[in-house]
């Protein structure tokens, strides 16, 4: 029988250890490369941090599988068994340019269902964590269930690119939404934006393209506080594919989806 309490405790220890290694590495020079485009950055620290987790997972839990952003894990076609979905540094551009506002993000799944979610804001030393059925926390403080809010009082996270240039949704649909809400934010880290939804600091998060390692841990957090997450078409996540994302408290999710994203359907 799987000892999930042990897995949770060990994963938290590893995340804190990896965070300390990243902070120490910031005194050294970075090797920066690009991936899919000039703005899609990866550093030697991303790769080294992913390797750190893979080595420890394989050494401690040899039956577990790993889906990692930098491709050093397993090639998965299913989420059967126990799978760790890892983003060693979510917000690499922030890491490179600002030295803050980035996170380690880990979702641990069993047969496709999220069991543990960990999002560690490395520079703030803030660990957002959730254990399925046992609530979500920021460090030692429990996160309260999300409260309803009116759309006019809502703060949503959305990148300006999606409002001005968007192949999935006509920008003319998003512009009125942006004008209606109280404010918008863009933090440059999907994991931290989802964590902010889970804490109630923002009311919704909209983006057109995220990979599983970007959203897996955040979804486990949202499950524990009553958050809703779907694609912008209203479909559930597979946790194996890239998706658009609409996440928020139930009331705001319903308004954005019904009144804006699918008002004409």
């Amino acid at each position: 029988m799987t000892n999930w309490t042990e897995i949770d405790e060990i994963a938290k220890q590893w995340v804190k250890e990896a965070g300390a290694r990243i902070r120490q590495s910031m005194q050294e020079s970075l090797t920066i490369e690009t991936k899919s485009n000039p703005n899609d950055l990866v550093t030697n620290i991303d790769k080294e941090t992913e390797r750190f987790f893979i080595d420890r997972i394989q050494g401690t839990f040899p039956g577990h599988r790993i889906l990692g952003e930098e491709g050093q894990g397993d090639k998965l076609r299913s989420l059967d068994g126990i799978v760790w979905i890892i983003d060693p540094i979510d917000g690499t551009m922030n890491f490179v340019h600002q030295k803050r506002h980035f996170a380690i993000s880990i979702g641990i799944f069993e047969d496709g269902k999220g069991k543990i979610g960990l999002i560690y804001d490395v520079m703030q030393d803030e660990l957002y964590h959730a254990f399925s059925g046992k609530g979500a926390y920021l460090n030692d403080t429990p996160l309260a269930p999300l409260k309803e809010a009116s759309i006019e009082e809502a703060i949503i996270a959305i990148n300006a690119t999606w409002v001005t240039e968007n192949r999935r949704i006509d920008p003319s649909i998003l512009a009125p939404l942006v004008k209606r809400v109280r404010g918008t934010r863009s933090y440059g880290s999907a994991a931290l934006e989802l964590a902010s939804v889970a804490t109630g600091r923002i009311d919704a998060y909209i983006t057109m393209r995220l990979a599983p390692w970007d959203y897996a841990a955040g979804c486990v957090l949202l499950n524990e506080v009553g958050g809703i997450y779907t694609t912008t078409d209203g479909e559930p996540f597979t946790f194996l594919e890239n998706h658009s994302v609409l996440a928020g408290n139930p009331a705001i999710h319903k308004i954005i989806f019904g009144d804006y994203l699918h008002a004409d359907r």
Side-chain angles (χ1 to χ4, degrees):
M1 184 174 180
T2 302
N3 187 337
W4 283 102
T5 299
E6 178 187 29
I7 294 172
D8 182 52
E9 291 175 353
I10 291 174
K12 289 175 183 174
Q13 292 172 8
W14 288 344
V15 165
K16 286 295 190 76
E17 184 179 348
R21 290 164 62 100
I22 291 171
R23 287 192 294 270
Q24 183 177 5
S25 74
M26 295 174 75
Q27 308 301 320
E28 306 166 5
S29 60
L30 291 175
T31 300
I32 303 170
E33 303 172 8
T34 60
K35 295 191 287 187
S36 61
N37 63 69
N39 296 324
D40 187 8
L41 306 180
V42 62
T43 73
N44 58 305
I45 305 304
D46 292 76
K47 296 177 181 179
E48 290 169 12
T49 302
E50 182 170 288
R51 188 76 252 168
F52 167 88
F53 284 112
I54 289 173
D55 289 345
R56 279 152 183 77
I57 294 165
Q58 292 177 339
T60 309
F61 306 110
H64 295 191
R65 297 189 297 162
I66 303 160
L67 178 62
E69 179 177 15
E70 307 311 331
Q72 301 177 87
D74 301 298
K75 305 297 182 184
L76 301 185
R77 295 186 178 180
S78 78
L79 291 179
D80 295 342
I82 297 177
V83 178
W84 297 57
I85 305 177
I86 299 172
D87 193 339
I89 297 181
D90 183 73
T92 300
M93 187 177 295
N94 290 350
F95 172 65
V96 170
H97 288 274
Q98 301 177 341
K99 304 294 187 287
R100 64 188 66 200
H101 304 313
F102 61 89
I104 298 169
S105 181
I106 297 178
I108 309 177
F109 283 60
E110 182 180 39
D111 296 329
K113 296 182 179 180
K115 300 289 288 187
I116 293 170
L118 305 170
I119 297 174
Y120 184 45
D121 185 332
V122 174
M123 302 310 292
Q124 293 295 319
D125 192 26
E126 292 183 333
L127 178 59
Y128 304 84
H129 56 101
F131 193 139
S132 179
K134 296 189 177 181
Y137 294 78
L138 169 53
N139 291 333
D140 296 325
T141 303
L143 300 184
L146 295 180
K147 297 179 181 179
E148 290 192 6
S150 70
I151 193 71
E152 288 78 13
E153 296 176 323
I155 296 177
I156 65 172
I158 186 169
N159 190 301
T161 301
W162 305 129
V163 183
T164 58
E165 182 182 345
N166 188 344
R167 295 181 181 179
R168 289 188 57 88
I169 299 173
D170 191 325
S172 66
I173 294 174
L174 293 176
L177 170 64
V178 168
K179 292 178 181 179
R180 185 178 176 188
V181 299
R182 177 165 283 174
T184 62
R185 300 290 184 270
S186 181
Y187 299 113
S189 165
L192 291 178
E193 285 168 309
L194 288 168
S196 293
V197 174
T199 62
R201 292 171 179 166
I202 58 177
D203 300 289
Y205 173 46
I206 306 171
T207 187
M208 299 304 136
R209 185 178 61 253
L210 287 184
W213 42 80
D214 297 315
Y215 60 76
C219 290
V220 180
L221 288 169
L222 289 171
N223 287 340
E224 295 301 303
V225 295
I228 301 291
Y229 51 87
T230 65
T231 70
T232 54
D233 293 322
E235 299 296 325
F237 296 164
T238 66
F239 296 97
L240 276 175
E241 300 172 326
N242 292 359
H243 293 302
S244 60
V245 172
L246 169 60
N249 74 55
I252 299 300
H253 183 284
K254 181 178 180 180
I255 292 171
I256 293 174
F257 183 79
D259 292 359
Y260 293 92
L261 302 184
H262 287 257
D264 58 343
R265 301 188 182 185

